[in-house]
C-alpha cells in the first residue's frame, strides 16, 4: 500500500495556528494541541461517471476541548484558527462554509504527490465552549489511463481511496454510487447499504482512525468494450475500458504472442475450449498489486499499464496456480521465472533475480509467506516474498534447465508420484505443497541443489524436522529398492513416501521385506527346474495398496510350489515306458496349464492341474509296460495268423490240378483223372 503509512498519520489532522502568537498583558492566546480537538464528521463520496468526478462532502462538527487555564497572572486561552482534512487527490474545486457563510479554503500538497490537504481558515477561531460545524466540498477528478494517481473513473469502472475525518471513533463514511455498479472495498469493515432512486449507498459508521482509510472500486462489466481472440482452441475475451482501445490492442497482442510460448515452455497445452476473460481494472492497484488471476472464474484482472512482463506473469497463472502446487511462493516463483524469461526473449523490460537479504523488512522463510491479510507489515512481506520466490526458483531452473523445468511442471500437472515405479496409481501423491516440489526436483528431475536452497530460504524449523525424517526413510527406501532386484517398491510404500507419511511408509516397508524374503524362498524352490517366480506375484507386489493381499498370494503360491515342481519333473522324467503309458492322456497339457495358472497367480487351479499330472504320471510306467506287452502279444498273434494264411493258400504245380472234393462231390464231376482240357486264360483263377 503505497500511502497507507503516511495517511495513518495524516487522516483528520487539524491545521493549527503558527506557534508565534502575539501576547497581551493579562491574557495569552496560544495554539491548542491537536489532541485538544474533537471531530465528529460524515464524509460522503458520490460517484458521477458522466461527469468523471467523485464529489466529496465533509460535514464536520469540531470542538476545542482545551479550556482556558491560569498561568500566574495570566489566563491562557488555547484556540484553533484552521482545520484541515486529508484526501487522495488530486483535489480540485474545494469550498467550505460554516453557518451558511463561506470560509477561505486552500488546497495544500502533502508529502506524497497523491495526498492533498483541504485547509479551512476558521472564522472565528475555534475556542473552548464554542463548537463549529463546517461543510467542506471538493472534487476528485478522473485521471487518465496509466496515470500515476490511483483514481480512475469511466462508464465501466471507478476506483479511489476514501479517508474518514473524525476522532475517537466518530468518523463516518458514506459511499454513493449508481446502482448498476458492483462495489468492492479493500478492507472488511462493517457497513450497511440501501438502494433508492437508482443509487446504492454504503454507510460505514463510527470508525476508528485506523479503519477510516480504504480503497473503493466499482465496476459495471456490461459497459466494458469486449474483443475476442482464439489461441489453440482457447478463447480469450479482452475486456477494456471504454475509450482505451490502446490497452485492448496491447492485451490482444500479449495473448497471441505469449500464450503459445507459455505452452511450449511448460510443456502443457491449456485444457482446450476454455473461455478466459482478461479485464482491464485498477482494483489490484488499490491492494498494492499489478494484477491477479481468479481461477474459479477463469478470469485475469490486470492494471492499465502496458507491462508485458506483468501480463505474461498473470497469463502464466493459467498453469501455475493452486491446482499445480498449494504453496503460494512456488506458483509465484514459477510465474516470475517464466514471464521474465519470455519478456526477455521478446526484447521487453524484465526483472532480474536479486540476492536474498535475510535482514530485509518482511524477511521470513518462504514457507511462511501466505496471503498478507491485515498484517501491518503486508507491503514489506509481499515485496520480500515475491523477490525471494523468484530468486529461489530461478536458481533451481538455472540448475535443471528448461527441459528439467518442463519435466517438473508436467509431472506435477499429471499428479504423478515422485517416487517412480510401475505401475503408476491413478490417485494423487497426497501432498501438493513445497514437499511435492522438493521430491519432484530431487527424485524426478535430479536436482542436487534443492536441499541447500530449501534449507537456506524455504524451511521453517518444523519443516526441517520433516526433511530429517525423510532422509531416514530414504535410506531404508533405497535398501528396499535394491533388494527388490528389478521389482519396483510397492505403491503402498511409494505413496507413503510421497505423502511424507514416513511412519506409514515404514510399516509398508516391513511388509515388503516379508514378501521379498518369501520370494527368495519361493525362488529357491522353483529354480532347480527353471520355473520363474510367478509374474502375478511381482504385479501384486508392485501395485499393492495393501501388501496383505500380496502376502496371502505368496502363501497360496508357496503351498503348491512343490507340486508344480514335482509335476514338471514327472512329465520330463517319465521315461520311454512312461511316455507310452501317457499316450492319449492330457498330462503334458495339464502340466503346461498348471504352469500358466501358477504364473498367473491362480494357485488353486495350478494345484489341481499339478495333482492331475502327478496322478497320471504315477501309473504311467506300469501302463506303458502293459501297453508294450499287449502290443507284443498282438504282434505275435498277427504273425502266426499270417503264416497260417500263407500255408492254406499255396498254389499246385502247372499241369493237372489236384482238387479235393468233400463228400461225394466227385460223382457229379466224373472221374477225377479225366483230362480237363485246355485252360481258358480268362477264367484261370487261383
Amino acid at each position: 500500500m503505497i500511502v497507507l503509512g503516511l495517511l495513518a498519520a495524516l487522516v483528520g489532522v487539524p491545521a493549527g495556528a503558527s506557534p508565534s502568537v502575539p501576547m497581551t498583558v493579562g491574557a495569552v492566546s496560544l495554539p491548542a494541541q491537536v489532541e485538544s480537538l474533537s471531530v465528529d464528521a460524515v464524509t460522503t463520496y458520490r460517484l458521477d461517471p458522466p461527469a468523471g468526478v467523485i464529489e466529496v462532502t465533509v460535514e464536520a462538527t469540531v470542538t476545542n476541548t482545551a479550556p482556558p487555564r491560569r498561568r500566574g497572572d495570566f489566563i491562557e486561552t488555547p484556540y484553533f484558527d484552521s482545520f484541515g482534512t486529508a484526501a487522495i487527490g488530486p483535489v480540485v474545486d474545494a469550498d467550505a462554509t460554516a453557518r451558511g457563510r463561506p470560509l477561505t479554503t486552500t488546497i495544500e500538497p502533502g508529502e506524497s504527490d497523491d495526498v492533498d490537504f483541504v485547509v479551512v481558515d476558521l472564522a472565528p477561531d475555534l475556542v473552548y465552549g464554542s463548537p463549529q460545524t463546517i461543510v467542506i466540498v471538493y472534487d476528485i477528478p478522473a485521471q487518465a489511463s496509466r496515470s500515476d494517481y490511483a483514481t480512475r473513473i469511466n462508464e465501466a469502472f471507478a476506483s479511489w481511496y476514501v479517508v474518514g475525518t473524525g476522532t475517537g471513533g466518530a468518523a463516518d463514511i458514506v459511499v454513493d454510487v449508481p446502482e448498476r455498479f458492483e462495489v468492492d472495498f479493500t478492507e472488511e469493515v462493517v457497513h450497511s447499504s440501501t438502494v433508492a432512486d437508482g443509487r446504492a449507498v454504503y454507510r460505514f459508521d463510527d470508525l476508528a482512525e485506523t479503519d477510516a482509510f480504504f480503497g473503493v472500486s466499482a465496476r459495471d462489466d456490461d459497459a466494458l468494450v469486449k474483443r475476442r481472440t482464439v489461441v489453440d482452441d482457447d478463447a480469450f475475451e479482452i475486456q477494456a475500458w471504454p475509450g482505451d482501445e490502446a490497452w485492448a490492442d496491447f492485451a490482444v497482442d500479449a495473448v497471441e504472442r505469449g500464450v503459445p510460448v507459455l505452452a511450449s515452455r511448460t510443456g502443457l497445452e491449456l485444457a482446450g475450449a476454455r473461455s478466459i476473460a482478461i479485464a482491464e481494472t485498477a482494483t489490484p492497484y488499490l491492494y498494492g498489486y499489478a494484477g491477479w488471476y481468479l481461477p474459479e472464474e477463469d478470469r485475469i484482472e490486470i492494471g492499465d499499464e502496458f507491462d508485458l512482463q506483468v501480463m505474461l506473469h498473470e497469463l502464466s497463472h493459467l498453469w501455475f496456480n493452486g491446482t499445480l502446487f498449494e504453496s503460494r511462493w512456488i506458483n509465484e516463483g514459477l510465474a516470475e521465472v517464466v514471464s521474465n524469461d519470455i519478456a526477455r526473449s521478446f526484447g521487453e523490460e524484465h526483472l532480474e533475480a536479486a540476492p536474498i537479504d535475510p535482514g530485509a523488512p518482511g524477511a521470513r522463510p518462504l514457507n511462511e509467506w501466505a496471503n498478507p491479510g491485515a498484517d501491518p507489515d503486508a507491503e514489506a512481506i509481499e515485496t520480500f516474498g515475491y523477490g525471494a520466490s523468484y530468486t529461489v526458483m530461478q536458481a533451481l531452473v538455472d540448475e535443471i534447465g528448461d527441459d528439467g523445468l518442463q519435466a517438473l511442471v508436467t509431472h506435477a500437472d499429471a499428479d504423478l508420484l515422485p517416487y517412480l515405479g510401475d505401475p503408476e496409481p491413478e490417485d494423487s501423491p497426497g501432498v501438493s505443497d513445497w514437499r511435492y516440489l522438493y521430491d519432484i526436483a530431487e527424485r524426478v528431475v535430479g536436482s542436487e541443489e534443492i536441499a541447500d536452497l530449501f534449507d537456506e530460504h524455504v524451511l521453517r524449523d518444523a519443516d526441517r524436522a520433516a526433511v530429517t525424517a525423510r532422509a531416514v526413510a530414504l535410506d531404508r527406501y533405497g535398501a528396499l529398492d535394491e533388494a527388490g532386484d528389478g521389482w519396483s517398491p510397492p505403491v503402498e510404500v511409494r505413496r507413503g513416501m510421497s505423502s511424507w507419511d514416513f511412519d506409514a511408509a515404514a510399516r509398508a516397508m516391513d511388509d515388503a521385506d516379508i514378501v521379498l524374503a518369501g520370494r527368495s524362498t519361493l525362488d529357491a524352490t522353483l529354480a532347480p527346474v527353471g520355473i520363474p517366480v510367478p509374474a502375478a506375484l511381482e504385479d501384486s507386489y508392485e501395485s499393492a495398496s495393501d501388501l496383505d493381499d500380496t502376502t496371502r498370494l505368496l502363501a497360496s503360491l508357496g503351498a503348491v510350489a512343490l507340486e508344480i515342481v514335482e509335476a514338471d519333473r514327472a512329465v520330463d522324467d517319465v521315461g520311454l515306458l512312461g511316455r507310452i503309458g501317457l499316450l492319449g492322456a492330457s498330462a503334458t497339457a495339464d502340466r503346461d496349464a498348471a504352469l500358466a495358472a501358477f504364473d498367473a497367480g491362480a494357485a488353486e487351479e495350478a494345484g489341481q492341474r499339478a495333482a492331475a499330472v502327478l496322478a497320471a504320471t504315477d501309473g504311467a510306467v506300469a501302463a506303458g509296460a502293459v501297453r508294450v506287452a499287449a502290443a507284443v502279444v498282438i504282434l505275435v498273434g498277427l504273425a502266426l495268423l499270417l503264416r497260417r494264411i500263407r500255408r492254406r493258400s499255396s498254389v499246385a504245380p502247372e499241369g493237372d490240378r489236384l482238387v479235393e472234393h468233400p463228400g461225394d462231390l466227385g460223382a457229379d464231376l466224373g472221374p477225377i483223372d479225366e483230362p480237363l482240357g485246355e485252360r481258358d486264360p480268362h477264367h484261370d483263377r487261383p
Side-chain angles (χ1 to χ4, degrees):
M1 301 296 180
I2 57 175
V3 295
L4 181 57
L6 174 67
L7 286 176
L10 296 180
V11 172
V13 174
S18 168
S20 32
V21 177
M23 295 185 183
T24 58
V25 176
V28 176
S29 298
L30 74 166
Q33 300 299 311
V34 171
E35 59 267 19
S36 300
L37 183 71
S38 172
V39 181
D40 188 344
V42 178
T43 305
T44 300
Y45 294 83
R46 187 178 190 277
L47 172 63
D48 187 351
V53 297
I54 309 291
E55 300 170 349
V56 184
T57 301
V58 181
E59 185 172 352
T61 298
V62 293
T63 303
N64 184 345
T65 63
R69 55 188 178 272
R70 181 178 293 277
R71 297 291 187 185
D73 295 333
F74 297 92
I75 301 296
E76 294 179 346
T77 305
Y79 69 94
F80 293 95
D81 65 356
S82 59
F83 172 77
T85 185
I88 305 299
V91 170
V92 299
D93 301 332
D95 290 299
T97 60
R99 299 188 182 91
R101 293 178 293 118
L103 300 174
T104 301
T105 306
T106 58
I107 300 173
E108 299 180 5
E111 294 181 5
S112 175
D113 289 342
D114 52 359
V115 177
D116 284 339
F117 287 98
V118 179
V119 180
V120 178
D121 185 7
L122 297 175
D125 293 339
L126 183 64
V127 296
Y128 181 76
S130 300
Q132 298 181 28
T133 297
I134 306 163
V135 178
I136 304 171
V137 295
Y138 59 88
D139 288 343
I140 302 175
Q143 300 298 307
S145 297
R146 292 162 289 283
S147 166
D148 290 337
Y149 292 96
T151 306
R152 300 285 187 273
I153 303 171
N154 57 63
E155 288 294 337
F157 181 84
S159 63
W160 71 98
Y161 287 104
V162 299
V163 180
T165 299
T167 59
D172 297 342
I173 295 175
V174 176
V175 176
D176 181 347
V177 302
E179 182 184 358
R180 63 187 175 89
F181 282 90
E182 179 182 338
V183 182
D184 176 70
F185 304 104
T186 61
E187 301 295 336
E188 295 183 1
V189 183
V190 176
H191 61 276
S192 60
S193 62
T194 58
V195 176
D197 300 326
R199 307 284 302 185
V201 178
Y202 303 86
R203 187 176 182 96
F204 302 79
D205 292 325
D206 303 325
L207 299 179
E209 291 180 19
T210 53
D211 295 329
F213 166 75
F214 50 88
V216 179
S217 63
R219 55 188 261 193
D220 178 5
D221 290 349
D222 291 338
L224 291 167
V225 178
K226 299 176 177 64
R227 288 170 57 177
R228 189 173 184 270
T229 184
V230 177
V231 179
D232 295 333
D233 297 328
D234 293 291
F236 292 83
E237 184 177 78
I238 310 303
Q239 303 175 355
W241 293 336
D244 199 359
E245 286 296 312
W247 187 88
D249 292 339
F250 158 75
V252 169
D253 176 69
V255 167
E256 292 178 346
R257 285 199 297 158
V259 168
V261 181
L262 282 165
S264 175
R265 283 297 307 276
T266 60
L268 300 171
E269 298 296 331
L270 291 180
R274 291 171 66 180
S275 181
I276 300 160
I278 302 177
E280 182 179 14
T281 179
T283 301
Y285 293 160
L286 300 178
Y287 291 87
Y289 301 99
W292 49 47
Y293 169 56
L294 305 173
E296 299 83 3
E297 304 174 36
D298 250 354
R299 179 182 179 87
I300 292 171
E301 295 184 348
I302 194 165
D304 55 3
E305 295 288 339
F306 298 151
D307 192 326
L308 181 62
Q309 186 271 322
V310 170
M311 178 66 83
L312 290 170
H313 177 106
E314 298 308 330
L315 283 169
S316 73
H317 280 308
L318 295 171
W319 290 269
F320 306 140
N321 54 64
T323 63
L324 189 69
F325 292 102
E326 286 181 26
S327 299
R328 182 188 178 203
W329 73 265
I330 299 176
N331 294 312
E332 293 299 343
L334 287 170
E336 284 287 78
V337 167
V338 173
S339 62
N340 277 286
D341 186 56
I342 296 175
R344 184 187 299 111
S345 71
F346 287 165
E348 298 284 346
E349 291 186 9
H350 56 276
L351 304 175
E352 294 290 351
I356 298 173
D357 179 8
R364 60 196 56 207
L366 282 172
N367 276 350
E368 288 185 6
W369 187 43
N371 291 322
D375 194 313
D377 298 323
E379 185 176 354
I381 294 170
E382 291 293 273
T383 299
F384 179 84
Y386 275 101
S389 63
Y390 178 24
T391 298
V392 168
M393 197 59 66
Q394 186 64 63
L396 176 61
V397 173
D398 288 342
E399 180 197 6
I400 65 178
D402 290 347
D403 290 343
L405 173 62
Q406 191 172 103
L408 187 153
V409 171
T410 54
H411 198 92
D413 182 75
D415 283 335
L416 301 177
L417 298 183
Y419 289 81
L420 304 178
D422 184 30
E424 182 61 43
E426 295 182 359
D427 56 342
S428 66
V431 297
S432 60
D433 55 11
W434 63 273
R435 296 170 292 181
Y436 194 28
L437 173 65
Y438 195 118
D439 278 341
I440 297 176
E442 185 178 79
R443 301 198 58 81
V444 178
V445 182
S447 170
E448 297 179 355
E449 298 179 10
I450 192 73
D452 290 339
L453 278 172
F454 270 53
D455 185 63
E456 187 173 359
H457 303 298
V458 177
L459 303 180
R460 302 159 295 188
D461 289 342
D463 302 330
R464 288 188 175 86
V467 170
T468 299
R470 174 183 183 270
V472 174
L474 267 177
D475 286 342
R476 187 170 180 198
Y477 182 85
L480 178 69
D481 193 17
E482 183 176 357
D485 193 23
W487 286 17
S488 297
V491 166
E492 184 179 5
V493 174
R494 293 191 288 129
R495 185 181 288 117
M497 294 295 294
S498 298
S499 63
W500 288 52
D501 187 347
F502 302 121
D503 289 339
R507 291 191 296 271
M509 285 189 275
D510 288 341
D511 293 340
D513 287 341
I514 293 172
V515 172
L516 292 181
R519 179 191 68 173
S520 297
T521 301
L522 182 62
D523 184 53
T525 301
L526 301 172
V529 293
I531 299 175
V533 173
L537 184 62
E538 179 181 358
D539 292 343
S540 176
Y541 174 83
E542 292 180 332
S543 63
S545 293
D546 183 350
L547 279 161
D548 287 347
D549 293 338
T550 306
T551 303
R552 284 190 287 270
L553 175 61
L554 175 63
S556 66
L557 292 172
V560 299
L562 282 175
E563 286 184 276
I564 296 295
V565 170
E566 291 172 0
D568 186 67
R569 281 177 172 161
V571 171
D572 291 339
D573 298 344
V574 73
L576 179 61
L577 282 177
R579 289 190 181 91
I580 294 173
L582 292 174
L583 289 174
S586 61
T588 301
D590 282 342
R591 187 270 310 272
D592 294 342
L595 291 175
F598 187 68
D599 191 58
E604 183 177 356
E605 179 186 351
Q608 292 172 350
R609 296 278 190 176
V613 170
L614 292 172
T617 55
D618 278 348
V621 173
V626 170
R627 287 183 175 182
V628 169
V632 170
V633 170
I634 292 172
L635 289 174
V636 170
L638 287 173
L640 293 173
L641 178 62
L642 288 173
R643 182 177 178 184
R644 182 178 180 184
I645 291 173
R646 287 193 191 100
R647 188 168 51 246
R648 292 185 62 185
S649 60
S650 297
V651 179
E654 189 172 349
D656 293 341
R657 175 177 296 179
L658 177 64
V659 179
E660 295 179 1
H661 298 279
D664 56 355
L665 179 62
D668 296 330
L669 296 177
I672 61 174
D673 58 347
E674 183 178 342
L676 295 177
E678 294 297 322
R679 296 165 61 184
D680 185 346
H682 296 289
H683 293 85
D684 186 11
R685 302 179 185 278

